[in-house]
Amino acid sequence: PVSALDVSIQAQVINLLEDLQRDLKLSYLFISHNLAVVEHISHRIAILYAGKLVELADSDVVYDTPLHPYTEALLSSVPIPDPPLQRARQRIVLQGEIPNPLDPPPGCRFQTRCPLVQDVCRHQTPPFEEKAPGHWAACWVR
């Protein structure tokens, strides 16, 4: 709902959504590529890759201890507004082919780009399971 808006208007809309959420006890399904906005507005976060759910947890857990390699790469792309910290951080740049959503590869959909890929990833779809209390992920390695 805020992707094409000026930053100041974006902030006003997000504040309005938060006020409505609090006052009317609403829940939102907020879909966005802007991880700064997602972090600000969300209580729980679901990460999808190629149409599949790969991670789900409370927002602070996802941001502090991501389990899926795609989530790690995604979070590493978010700029930090502190220049020395930004320069010092390790950004994960994914290599490999993005899978065709109409004809995905067997096994894990992220296996063509995953830096941790193993043989099992190429043949079997990992189960989406609870790896820690309230923290779900679909990954054979973690």
Side-chain angles (χ1 to χ4, degrees), residues 42-45 56-64 133-136:
S42 301
H43 300 277
R44 284 182 65 74
I45 296 176
L56 172 69
D58 288 345
S59 59
D60 58 333
V61 173
V62 169
Y63 279 85
D64 293 341
H135 195 167
W136 295 74

Side-chain angles (χ1 to χ4, degrees), residues 4 10 14 16 18 42 50 58 74 86 96 111 124:
Q10 189 179 75
I14 291 169
L16 174 62
E18 288 179 319
S42 301
D58 288 345
L74 194 62
Q86 178 65 23
Q111 52 110 340
Q124 295 180 28

Side-chain angles (χ1 to χ4, degrees), residues 15-61:
N15 288 338
L16 174 62
L17 289 171
E18 288 179 319
D19 291 346
L20 290 170
Q21 184 179 37
R22 182 194 62 242
D23 296 346
L24 300 176
K25 300 188 182 342
L26 297 175
S27 293
Y28 294 125
L29 176 59
F30 193 87
I31 301 170
S32 178
H33 287 94
N34 185 333
L35 295 177
V37 172
V38 169
E39 182 178 24
H40 177 76
I41 201 167
S42 301
H43 300 277
R44 284 182 65 74
I45 296 176
I47 305 290
L48 286 87
Y49 182 78
K52 285 283 194 177
L53 190 58
V54 296
E55 189 155 359
L56 172 69
D58 288 345
S59 59
D60 58 333
V61 173

